[in-house]
Amino acid sequence: MERVKIILDLFQESMINDNSIKPCIFRFEADVQRFKIHYQNKDEPSGNYPHMGVTAREGLHVLYRITGTEQWLNVDAYTSRNSPITVNMKYLAQTGKSYEILIYGPVLSDIDLLKIEIEDESEITVLDNSISKDILFLGGIHSLGIGCTASGVMFSNILARRLDKHLQNISFNDINHLKPIHEKINELDKYDTIILELDYVRQDSAVFDR
């Protein structure tokens, strides 16, 4: 008998489905030995970005951890050119053991399609990844991911995994990033903790003093 495939639209099922939040973050729990990711992006940035890896700009970064444990481990990073992406968990998680998958979207481009394909006898659960008011990260090119090969290794995302907290990153591809932050600050919700990237030498002194 031919096995039936189940397609889960992560971009629709996740409580975070807004391309304005970058990178978008998706989480699900499964026990299957392999699954496929169908992925397409759009609005790829024009210009040259030698300071940022291609998967950070337009790809996905996939991590996992065994359910009930704290440490996140790397699976791999992919671009839409790899789609459909076959993720083999056979040697990463024991058969029958459930695990969590964490997917970071691109930093500079938007997600057009993100679907997970599994076989019908497998279980998959989308995990709540709604934006709480735990930590707000505000910054410029360093907070945006300069020097990162994939979005999961951005400092803000490393910090969020380490603290097991929800974190929203609002960063600007601008050396003088305090100006757009100052213009936006009154529109932001209240957060428990705000982390601000600060490089006084490159900032407009009038904005800095305010």
Side-chain angles (χ1 to χ4, degrees):
M1 181 182 297
E2 183 179 356
R3 293 180 176 178
V4 178
K5 297 176 182 178
I6 298 176
I7 304 293
L8 178 69
D9 190 332
L10 270 189
F11 200 56
Q12 295 300 320
E13 294 288 342
S14 175
M15 296 184 71
I16 296 181
N17 55 11
D18 183 358
N19 263 313
S20 67
I21 300 171
K22 288 188 173 62
C24 293
I25 301 172
F26 306 89
R27 292 175 58 194
F28 65 87
E29 186 176 35
D31 62 358
V32 62
Q33 287 192 313
R34 66 175 55 84
F35 59 88
K36 288 185 178 181
I37 302 176
H38 298 263
Y39 168 65
Q40 293 294 329
N41 64 322
K42 62 181 180 179
D43 299 330
E44 295 182 11
S46 59
N48 187 25
Y49 292 86
H51 57 284
M52 186 181 294
V54 63
T55 50
R57 298 196 308 267
E58 59 187 68
L60 302 175
H61 189 191
V62 181
L63 297 94
Y64 82 101
R65 69 179 177 186
I66 303 301
T67 301
T69 64
E70 297 182 355
Q71 185 175 7
W72 289 99
L73 302 171
N74 186 59
V75 176
D76 212 338
Y78 312 93
T79 68
S80 60
R81 290 183 287 275
N82 303 123
S83 184
I85 303 155
T86 298
V87 180
N88 190 345
M89 298 296 296
K90 181 178 180 180
Y91 301 105
L92 301 178
Q94 295 179 5
T95 303
K97 287 279 189 179
S98 63
Y99 54 84
E100 295 178 37
I101 291 291
L102 176 61
I103 300 178
Y104 291 101
V107 176
L108 297 182
S109 59
D110 291 337
I111 294 175
D112 191 40
L113 171 76
L114 184 57
K115 295 183 178 181
I116 304 300
E117 177 186 328
I118 62 172
E119 295 175 347
D120 65 340
E121 74 271 16
S122 305
E123 294 185 3
I124 183 170
T125 303
V126 177
L127 300 177
D128 180 9
N129 201 36
S130 57
I131 286 290
S132 66
K133 302 300 184 291
D134 289 339
I135 303 174
L136 174 63
F137 210 96
L138 298 170
I141 57 175
H142 299 287
S143 302
L144 189 63
I146 183 172
C148 293
T149 55
S151 50
V153 296
M154 293 168 58
F155 173 70
S156 56
N157 290 330
I158 294 173
L159 183 64
R161 292 196 303 274
R162 178 64 176 172
L163 298 177
D164 202 20
K165 296 286 188 179
H166 293 294
L167 185 151
Q168 183 171 359
N169 186 335
I170 300 178
S171 299
F172 299 90
N173 189 30
D174 189 340
I175 293 177
N176 185 21
H177 60 271
L178 282 186
K179 183 176 181 180
I181 287 175
H182 183 266
E183 293 171 351
K184 193 176 181 64
I185 194 71
N186 292 328
E187 304 172 9
L188 300 175
D189 295 328
K190 301 297 182 182
Y191 285 78
D192 296 336
T193 303
I194 297 178
I195 300 174
L196 174 65
E197 174 193 335
L198 188 57
D199 180 358
Y200 176 74
V201 174
R202 300 174 182 270
Q203 305 306 309
D204 184 325
S205 59
V207 175
F208 181 85
D209 292 338
R210 290 201 295 268

